[in-house]
Amino acid sequence: MKIHKTGEGVSAVGSRTILHADMNNCYASIEMLHHPKLRGHPVAVGGSSELRHGIILARNYEARHFGVKVGQALWEARRKCPGLIIVPPDYGKYLRFSRMFNDILSDYSPQVEAFGIDESWADVTGALKRGRGGQAIADEIRGRVKFELGVTVSVGVSYNKIFAKLGSDVKKPDATTVISEDNYRDIVWPLPAADLLGVGRATEAKLAKYGVRTIGGIAQCGPDLLQSWLGKWGLYLHAYANGRDTSPVADAGSGFAIKSVGNSTTCPRDLENDQDAHIVFQNLAESVAERMREQGLMAKTVQVSLRTNDLFWFERQMALPQPTHISTELCGAAMALLRRNWHWGKPLRSVGIRGANLVPIGQPRQMSLFADEKRREKAEAIEYAVDGIRRRFGHCAIDRALLLLDGKLGKLDAKADHGIHPTGYLNRGAP
């Protein structure tokens, strides 16, 4: 492929120019914008230590200087930085900034794809026809975000989504990094393997066991060898590390199908028996089921995640006899998985439940000779009625009596605080 040098970005015959813009320390930056007195002090956004959702969600550069890290427990962060100011998260405020941020990107391309609240891709290939290179567009976006929103962004410019995302992490804050087909070996390959999208902790540890610790190490491994270590995913990582990612940037406003709907929570106190777990699972299942009904979906599979108070973690799943979006059926499956796989040798600190293998509500299904269909229809009707009450008066306006058995465990507002709708960028197919 013939490359044309623009002097200010990536441009190639038949290739693309993709930006990945990432708001720097998004939550903390927004909080300091709204509370100017916080500027100059170490600040972090964190969950409630009283409810034990006590981790750092974001921190500013002053806090980072003391070694405060995202995901760190609040007590540990305070030990490293005694003067740390911790403010609670305000997701409504962050979502408003996210919309304004994506509106700015949409001025440059109809193809803008969010990857979380604070980061998005934009395919600006079409904008190059107006005589500007990728770097010039990225610099203009950085200037506009700073002027219009009051926060800074770092932007990666490249010919694929994977390298564009890597570029936005190379220089922070408020910087543009160009990764081209000429220079990616110099910029990308020395980076730690964990920086490559798709390399999680387990994959990083497995690669390190074989002596592969950098992205360049992944790129230079034989694909067959990577496949023998990691299965099919090894082939994806080999392609990504070598810049062979052709996945498109989605059009603004479009979305990929939801792959699963789940909630998890760190419990206000450790769970010590089946009754404790039942209360929390039912609370989470209510939110999961309500979200599936909102999306017109049912789950054919239930997954649970369990984490002990010494941080041992594992997941289990089971297929359901019939697709469902009824909370009691989701909870029942979760409890069956718990009883089958956990014998209370240790207390549980956090649990999660997820509906997966989703199908549309209207999809034909095989009736069961052994299920009480009238009872199921009645349970479904009740839950739709409860949805209506909650939409009008709030999620906690009506609850099951089960939740009254424990004052702490029953007070979790699963819908407001713990819900996630993962869409799974890495589940969208091969590059």
Side-chain angles (χ1 to χ4, degrees):
M1 179 179 292
K2 184 179 180 182
I3 306 296
H4 296 273
K5 305 293 185 181
T6 66
E8 54 181 8
V10 178
S11 180
V13 176
S15 77
R16 303 172 295 164
T17 298
I18 294 175
L19 311 184
H20 183 271
D22 187 353
M23 286 192 277
N24 302 134
N25 299 326
C26 175
Y27 297 176
S29 296
I30 293 171
E31 292 299 338
M32 289 189 294
L33 187 66
H34 285 76
H35 306 285
K37 291 183 179 179
L38 296 177
R39 294 176 182 171
H41 299 282
V43 176
V45 177
S48 167
S49 56
E50 290 76 17
L51 293 177
R52 301 208 309 174
H53 307 142
I55 64 169
I56 301 296
L57 302 174
R59 81 279 190 258
N60 64 2
Y61 285 97
E62 287 82 359
R64 181 180 179 179
H65 177 74
F66 285 91
V68 176
K69 298 178 180 179
V70 173
Q72 200 168 53
L74 296 187
W75 64 266
E76 187 178 1
R78 286 195 176 103
R79 186 177 66 182
K80 290 185 175 182
C81 181
L84 184 65
I85 301 171
I86 298 177
V87 296
D90 183 344
Y91 291 106
K93 189 159 56 183
Y94 309 150
L95 286 168
R96 179 167 59 86
F97 269 77
S98 180
R99 287 191 292 270
M100 293 188 292
F101 167 62
N102 284 307
D103 285 345
I104 291 174
L105 294 178
S106 296
D107 287 343
Y108 299 85
S109 172
Q111 292 175 266
V112 176
E113 180 182 344
F115 192 60
I117 287 177
D118 58 347
E119 53 183 310
S120 295
W121 284 284
D123 187 333
V124 298
T125 307
L128 301 182
K129 297 176 182 178
R130 303 180 200 131
R132 292 179 295 173
Q135 182 170 343
I137 295 172
D139 290 342
E140 183 176 314
I141 288 171
R142 287 195 298 111
R144 284 191 58 187
V145 172
K146 187 188 296 185
F147 179 76
E148 296 177 29
L149 304 187
V151 298
T152 63
V153 297
S154 292
V155 185
V157 184
S158 193
Y159 59 97
N160 66 65
K161 292 169 72 174
I162 299 294
F163 284 177
K165 178 167 172 58
L166 279 169
S168 67
D169 290 329
V170 169
K171 295 179 184 177
K172 291 179 180 290
D174 195 18
T176 298
T177 300
V178 178
I179 299 177
S180 70
E181 291 172 288
D182 287 337
N183 70 11
Y184 77 86
R185 293 175 182 84
D186 296 327
I187 297 176
V188 172
W189 281 11
L191 297 174
D195 287 359
L196 185 65
L197 191 63
V199 177
R201 291 182 181 178
T203 301
E204 180 189 16
K206 188 172 290 188
L207 289 170
K209 185 175 75 171
Y210 295 108
V212 178
R213 293 182 171 81
T214 65
I215 296 176
I218 296 173
Q220 293 170 318
C221 273
D224 292 340
L225 186 59
L226 282 172
Q227 185 175 21
S228 71
W229 295 343
L230 305 173
K232 187 178 180 181
W233 191 240
L235 299 178
Y236 289 163
L237 295 183
H238 184 265
Y240 293 162
N242 282 286
R244 295 195 297 271
D245 165 40
T246 59
S247 56
V249 177
D251 289 339
S254 69
F256 289 85
I258 294 174
K259 303 297 183 182
S260 64
V261 177
N263 277 4
S264 62
T265 186
T266 298
C267 305
R269 65 169 178 81
D270 287 346
L271 308 182
E272 298 178 348
N273 52 51
D274 282 6
Q275 179 175 290
D276 289 350
H278 192 188
I279 293 171
V280 177
F281 272 135
Q282 183 61 54
N283 201 338
L284 296 177
E286 295 276 344
S287 174
V288 172
E290 184 176 349
R291 283 183 165 89
M292 285 198 290
R293 290 190 293 269
E294 288 172 355
Q295 298 292 329
L297 299 169
M298 296 188 294
K300 297 172 68 175
T301 302
V302 169
Q303 302 170 341
V304 298
S305 60
L306 308 173
R307 182 163 65 94
T308 65
N309 58 1
D310 61 358
L311 305 185
F312 173 73
W313 178 89
F314 69 97
E315 284 186 331
R316 295 293 185 270
Q317 68 178 38
M318 65 180 293
L320 298 170
Q322 296 186 81
T324 188
H325 52 200
I326 298 173
S327 66
T328 51
E329 293 183 353
L330 296 174
C331 180
M335 289 302 297
L337 285 167
L338 177 76
R339 294 186 181 107
R340 189 182 305 163
N341 295 283
W342 191 250
H343 303 292
W344 296 107
K346 298 177 182 178
L348 296 174
R349 182 175 177 83
S350 67
V351 297
I353 181 172
R354 182 180 304 279
N357 197 7
L358 304 179
V359 296
I361 286 177
Q363 179 171 300
R365 60 185 177 87
Q366 179 66 48
M367 304 290 284
S368 172
L369 294 174
F370 306 102
D372 187 339
E373 289 298 329
K374 288 186 177 180
R375 184 175 181 178
R376 290 191 83 232
E377 289 174 5
K378 183 177 180 180
E380 186 178 51
I382 290 172
E383 298 211 359
Y384 274 113
V386 170
D387 289 348
I389 294 171
R390 287 174 168 167
R391 278 194 296 271
R392 185 173 180 183
F393 300 107
H395 185 79
C396 295
I398 182 169
D399 277 323
R400 294 182 182 273
L402 171 70
L403 305 188
L404 301 177
L405 293 175
D406 188 287
K408 284 189 175 181
L409 299 180
K411 286 183 178 179
L412 289 172
D413 184 356
K415 175 80 182 233
D417 296 333
H418 310 287
I420 52 174
H421 279 256
T423 57
Y425 163 74
L426 296 172
N427 291 327
R428 296 176 190 171

